[in-house]
Amino acid sequence: MNSATESAASLRRLPAVRLNPNGNRKVDLGAVVALAVPLFVNSSIQALLNLTDTWFIGRLSTDATAAVGASYWFLIVAILLFGGAGLAVQTLTAQAYGAGDNRAAARAVWAGMWGMLLVAPAFVAIAFCGPTIIGWLMLEPNVAHLAGEYWFPRMLGGMLAVGIWVTTGFFNGIGRTGVTLAIMTFVAVLNAVLNQIFIFELGWGISGSAWATTAAMFAGLMLAAALFTSRAIDGEYHSRLTWRPNAAELAMLFRVGIPIGLFPAIDVGGLAMFQAMQVAAGAVGGAATQIVMMLTSLAYLPTMGFALAGTTLVGQSIGAGDKNWATRVGNATIKLAVAYMGLVTVFLAVIGPWLIPLFVNPSDPNAAAVISLGRTLLWLAAGYQIFDGLNLGAGFCLRGAGDMRVPTVAIVFLSWFGFVPFTHMFTFAPGQGWVDFLPQYGYGTVGGWAVALVYTCILGSLIYLRWRSGAWRKIDLR
């Protein structure tokens, strides 16, 4: 094959590219949006799923909402910590697809499924450790009891979440994001139906919400696996013939996946401590924080759609051998992520006074206090979400390049030696906190959220600068 033919073949594999009348390459924003929209809608559905759970649980009590708020982020941390291999599948699939190696794309999925089985015992063990972990948070007794009921079934579903990441990562990596949307729409609708049945009709209470999510994810994983091994996908990617475990591919999956999972696990771990501190400082602050977190997920989770598109576009460009193009399509998705997140969070802050009461039981004695505090917190959240869009957009582009080690080291220090201790200092009053060696200024929930605003501004800026530095160009996963 001569150089001209090779150049033409490489151009055909590049994503979101169009030629202007002078023959120069331009980023096809229409193609970027077409790839991102199903992921955007899918992430919006995930936000709706979270709001659905919050709405159902809010009908139980303020304590139930606070209990989920105290345990929710710790659950996510565990899933990310042990599920990084599942997240790596999109990166490896996108680069294989960009290189025209369809078999390697399918092998990445099977490596991810074997990886899921390897980490499954860890999820079972953590599920049984729930009461001990929750006991460390020093919650009010009733809140702690409810958090324990929610923890066990929700953590058991963690391994299923990893499996869904594996299979949908394949479809995202090859650019068929509409399939991912169909799978997750099915999961969200089933989850809503099962919430009503398990929580109220069967009388399982807060644990019913967790069991509903776990059951819906199991059904979603079965659907995704059936689609991956379908005749059409097998004919193109040999998905039925590449299932045998391969030690080298498993090692690559974990080498790439551990930092990919560890970065958000550390970040979310800090958020888990942040939210647990708000609950420990009082049920009103804990409930208001949980409601605002779920409302702002309407900005955060859809932005994940643009960010995931960035992972695919950067990965496919690198696989096709053009890192300059990876830079250009990555920059385009970062701009979309920041713009969307900024607009939506300001809109939520404006209409917040009408939204927050929908998630509070009006007969609860703390209802008025939760609503009032939630309105204030929404404006603080609007400030930090813009920089979180920068963090998401640039971070997922780095993920597409497999460059997450240095950002992970950086976030360890920023989150656990900055964000967490300062949240403790500004949230708790003297004599109220978890530890005595830190000063305590007693600004309450508003003080904790002010610290979150500063932390996110610094984090988003650092991750963007890492992307702009181009250090990821030195990485070669293939």
Side-chain angles (χ1 to χ4, degrees), residues 31-274:
V32 174
V33 172
L35 177 69
V37 163
L39 295 172
F40 175 94
V41 175
N42 171 54
S43 297
S44 301
I45 289 171
Q46 298 313 298
L48 182 61
L49 188 152
N50 287 339
L51 287 173
T52 299
D53 286 349
T54 302
W55 182 77
F56 275 109
I57 291 168
R59 290 167 62 190
L60 295 172
S61 67
T62 296
D63 281 357
T65 304
V68 174
S71 58
Y72 177 81
W73 291 112
F74 289 100
L75 291 162
I76 299 301
V77 167
I79 295 171
L80 288 168
L81 190 61
F82 293 101
L87 296 173
V89 169
Q90 182 178 353
T91 297
L92 298 176
T93 297
Q95 293 201 14
Y97 179 84
D101 190 350
N102 287 1
R103 273 182 170 268
R107 288 199 304 270
V109 177
W110 284 112
M113 297 302 286
W114 287 110
M116 179 194 73
L117 294 178
L118 288 175
V119 300
F123 285 104
V124 175
I126 297 172
F128 280 104
C129 291
T132 300
I133 296 171
I134 291 168
W136 295 337
L137 303 180
M138 300 173 59
L139 305 177
E140 296 173 5
N142 188 49
V143 174
H145 173 72
L146 292 170
E149 288 189 5
Y150 183 79
W151 179 280
F152 181 80
R154 188 67 180 85
M155 183 55 70
L156 284 182
M159 67 187 81
L160 303 174
V162 176
I164 289 178
W165 288 345
V166 168
T167 47
T168 58
F170 167 79
F171 291 110
N172 291 344
I174 65 173
R176 300 187 188 182
T177 52
V179 178
T180 295
L181 173 60
I183 293 168
M184 299 313 299
T185 300
F186 168 75
V187 171
V189 172
L190 182 59
N191 178 71
V193 172
L194 294 179
N195 260 288
Q196 175 64 31
I197 295 172
F198 290 177
I199 295 176
F200 299 107
E201 295 184 20
L202 296 180
W204 292 359
I206 193 171
S207 67
S209 178
W211 281 117
T213 302
T214 296
M217 286 194 297
F218 175 78
L221 177 57
M222 294 300 100
L223 173 61
L227 292 172
F228 172 66
T229 55
S230 66
R231 180 176 299 178
I233 295 296
D234 177 59
E236 192 172 355
Y237 294 89
H238 306 284
S239 58
R240 299 179 186 177
L241 302 176
T242 50
W243 60 269
R244 292 175 178 80
N246 182 290
E249 290 178 346
L250 271 172
M252 169 64 78
L253 185 78
F254 280 99
R255 182 169 69 84
V256 175
I258 287 175
I260 286 179
L262 193 57
F263 179 88
I266 293 168
D267 187 22
V268 172
L271 284 174
M273 296 297 292
F274 161 80

Side-chain angles (χ1 to χ4, degrees), residues 205-466:
I206 193 171
S207 67
S209 178
W211 281 117
T213 302
T214 296
M217 286 194 297
F218 175 78
L221 177 57
M222 294 300 100
L223 173 61
L227 292 172
F228 172 66
T229 55
S230 66
R231 180 176 299 178
I233 295 296
D234 177 59
E236 192 172 355
Y237 294 89
H238 306 284
S239 58
R240 299 179 186 177
L241 302 176
T242 50
W243 60 269
R244 292 175 178 80
N246 182 290
E249 290 178 346
L250 271 172
M252 169 64 78
L253 185 78
F254 280 99
R255 182 169 69 84
V256 175
I258 287 175
I260 286 179
L262 193 57
F263 179 88
I266 293 168
D267 187 22
V268 172
L271 284 174
M273 296 297 292
F274 161 80
Q275 192 158 351
M277 288 182 213
Q278 309 318 308
V279 175
V284 170
T289 295
Q290 172 65 8
I291 291 169
V292 171
M293 284 287 192
M294 291 302 102
L295 282 173
T296 54
S297 70
L298 290 172
Y300 170 82
L301 287 174
T303 302
M304 291 275 286
F306 292 123
L308 284 166
T311 300
T312 294
L313 293 169
V314 169
Q316 289 183 355
S317 300
I318 292 172
D322 195 331
K323 293 183 178 180
N324 289 331
W325 188 249
T327 299
R328 295 179 66 178
V329 291
N331 288 340
T333 59
I334 292 170
K335 291 176 183 176
L336 289 171
V338 173
Y340 173 81
M341 210 157 185
L343 289 172
V344 173
T345 49
V346 172
F347 176 71
L348 285 173
V350 171
I351 67 171
W354 293 274
L355 283 178
I356 292 175
L358 299 176
F359 301 94
V360 179
N361 185 340
S363 64
D364 192 290
N366 293 317
V370 170
I371 292 169
S372 176
L373 180 58
R375 290 169 178 170
T376 301
L377 298 184
L378 266 177
W379 281 105
L380 287 170
Y384 84 69
Q385 290 278 30
I386 294 173
F387 282 88
D388 208 22
L390 200 60
N391 171 35
L392 284 173
F396 275 70
C397 287
L398 290 172
R399 180 187 293 188
D403 179 22
M404 293 303 297
R405 293 185 182 182
V406 172
T408 298
V409 173
I411 200 174
V412 168
F413 290 95
L414 184 59
S415 178
W416 287 91
F417 294 93
F419 175 47
V420 172
F422 275 94
T423 296
H424 188 279
M425 291 161 59
F426 279 81
T427 298
F428 291 117
Q432 185 188 28
W434 292 345
V435 296
D436 297 328
F437 59 83
L438 290 173
Q440 296 165 17
Y441 301 115
Y443 291 108
T445 301
V446 173
W449 275 81
V451 173
L453 171 60
V454 175
Y455 161 73
T456 309
C457 291
I458 296 172
L459 175 63
S461 300
L462 286 177
I463 298 305
Y464 179 67
L465 289 174
R466 176 67 181 183

